Structure formats: structure tokens, C-alpha cells
Amino acid sequence: MKRMLLLSLGDLKNISRDPMLSIVLISPLLLAVVMKAVLPLAAAVAMDRLSIDLTVHYPFILSMTFPFVPMLVGMLAGLIILEDLDENMLAYFAVTPVSKAGYLVYRVTAPALLSFFLTLVMVWIIGLVPVNYPRLILVLLMASLEAPMMALFLGAFAANRIEGLALTKAFGIFLLAPLPGYLIKSPWQLAAGVLPPYWVSRSFLAGMEGRPLFGILIAAGFLVHALYIYPLLGRFNRKAM
């Protein structure tokens, strides 16, 4: 635990020295404040001018933000990993009590835990949707896996931070994955299930509505996330050897 704390302190030091990384870390909370202020205004305008009740879509809009936080945290963690690789820090950790295995465990768990905490705080700040917290926690635990997924993807495929920033753009399509599940009322929506955020949104909405499929969607979501993380972990491990 002490070793993990030392790694965390090192990361905080790196983040504090890099304005871009600092902005990434606080942006989820800024997004929450903006959504809390803007959504009610947008709903009032939509009802007044278009006779559209935007409030019924609040749960889905909220669910769209869940993958956003892990992606940002994962990008931050991935850029730190690339910096560590560039400075050959893994060779250093391999001969210290931290060990290479301990480093990898930290790089997988720390972004997930930070994503979970930030997303939970974000939901609380927005406060526009009544939630079932036991079910929400399961959904956010699933969503938080997208942080190590993103971090490992950058660590495995990018050669440096510049390439890492370029590769993050490829994950933009992931953030759109919940849309088919909400807009398409046919089994064809399951095609979007190859992208992990689809299961985050679907399970959250099922939990909100008390559907019996909630447990199945949660299980499927965890499985899909694992199918991404496991090979990425293996590829990163081979690259870092």
C-alpha cells in the first residue's frame, strides 16, 4: 500500500507540473457544473418553443457522460505511462520493491478508482436525476474499467505522447455507442454492443426503469470490458518487457 501511495504522489506531482493534465483531471467536475446550470435552461427553451419535454431524456443524457470521465482519466494515465516508458522507468521499477507487476496493477486500478470517484461526484453535483445508488454503483464500476482500457491502449500502441494524443481521437466513436441503444428500437442496436459504453448506458437506463434485464446487462457489460482489457494488458506487457 505504501508503494502504491508513493506512485500516486509521483503522479500528482507530474500532473501538477503539466497544465494540460491538470485541466483533464478537473474537467469532469467542470462539466457537471455546466450541465447542472445549462440543462434546466435548455429544457425550458425546448418546452416553450418546441413543446418538447427534454426532462424525460435526462437519464440518457446523464448516462452519456459516464464513459466521458473514464476516457479522460484513462488518457491522463496513458500519457503518464508513455512518459514512464520513454524514461525507461519500468526497468527501474522492476528492480525495486514496487516491481513491474506492482506497477501494472497500479496502472490498472488507480485510473479505475479515480474514474469511479469522479463520476460519482459528478452525478451528485448534477443532481437532476433521482438514482438508485446500489445499481448506480454497479454501473459506474463497469464504466470505470474504460479508464485502464484507454490507458493500456495508449501504452500498448503509441510510441510517445504526441502519438498518444492522436490515438485518443479514435476513442471519440466510443462515446457515441449509447446512441443506437436509445434511438434504435430493434435488435440491430446490439451491433453497438461491441463498444463498451453501449452497455454502460443500457444498464443504467434499465436500472432506472427497474427492468429485470439489469443484471444481464451488467454481466454482459463487464464481460465486454474484460475482452478489451485482457489483450491490451498482454500487448502492453510484451511491449514493456
Side-chain angles (χ1 to χ4, degrees):
M1 183 62 71
K2 183 178 180 180
R3 296 161 189 165
M4 298 300 105
L5 179 61
L6 290 175
L7 285 172
S8 299
L9 292 175
D11 283 348
L12 288 175
K13 185 177 180 180
N14 289 334
I15 292 170
S16 65
R17 292 184 302 187
D18 192 322
M20 184 191 74
L21 296 183
S22 299
I23 291 172
V24 167
L25 189 61
I26 66 172
S27 58
L29 303 182
L30 296 177
L31 174 64
V33 172
V34 170
M35 288 184 65
K36 185 176 180 66
V38 171
L39 275 179
L41 294 176
V45 171
M47 178 59 72
D48 182 54
R49 298 188 179 182
L50 303 173
S51 297
I52 296 175
D53 185 7
L54 194 61
T55 61
V56 300
H57 302 292
Y58 276 1
F60 174 68
I61 294 172
L62 181 62
S63 74
M64 288 282 289
T65 67
F66 294 167
F68 176 75
V69 178
M71 293 294 180
L72 282 178
V73 174
M75 180 185 75
L76 186 151
L79 294 177
I80 293 175
I81 287 174
L82 291 173
E83 187 173 311
D84 287 344
L85 289 173
D86 187 54
E87 296 176 357
N88 203 27
M89 291 299 294
L90 267 70
Y92 165 76
F93 288 125
V95 296
T96 66
V98 173
S99 76
K100 182 180 172 182
Y103 176 86
L104 289 176
V105 169
Y106 170 76
R107 287 301 177 207
V108 169
T109 58
L113 292 173
L114 180 58
S115 297
F116 175 82
F117 174 75
L118 286 177
T119 312
L120 192 62
V121 172
M122 187 180 71
V123 172
W124 177 76
I125 291 175
I126 294 173
L128 297 175
V129 176
V131 296
N132 180 312
Y133 276 94
R135 293 187 174 186
L136 175 67
I137 286 173
L138 288 174
V139 173
L140 296 188
L141 285 173
M142 183 213 303
S144 69
L145 295 177
E146 290 168 18
M149 184 177 74
M150 169 69 115
L152 290 170
F153 174 75
L154 296 182
F157 290 100
N160 50 55
R161 288 184 55 166
I162 302 300
E163 284 190 15
L165 288 171
L167 286 176
T168 57
K169 298 178 181 179
F171 271 74
I173 191 172
F174 276 57
L175 298 177
L176 300 177
L179 285 173
Y182 193 67
L183 300 177
I184 300 175
K185 306 303 179 183
S186 79
W188 285 104
Q189 66 170 258
L190 289 172
V194 297
L195 301 178
Y198 168 88
W199 300 99
V200 174
S201 178
R202 285 276 287 153
S203 59
F204 175 70
L205 295 178
M208 287 281 295
E209 298 167 6
R211 297 180 187 174
L213 283 175
F214 175 75
I216 296 174
L217 292 170
I218 285 288
F222 273 102
L223 176 61
V224 170
H225 283 77
L227 290 175
Y228 275 82
I229 291 174
Y230 183 75
L232 285 173
L233 186 60
R235 182 178 176 90
F236 174 76
N237 198 30
R238 290 191 297 272
K239 177 183 177 180
M241 288 182 64

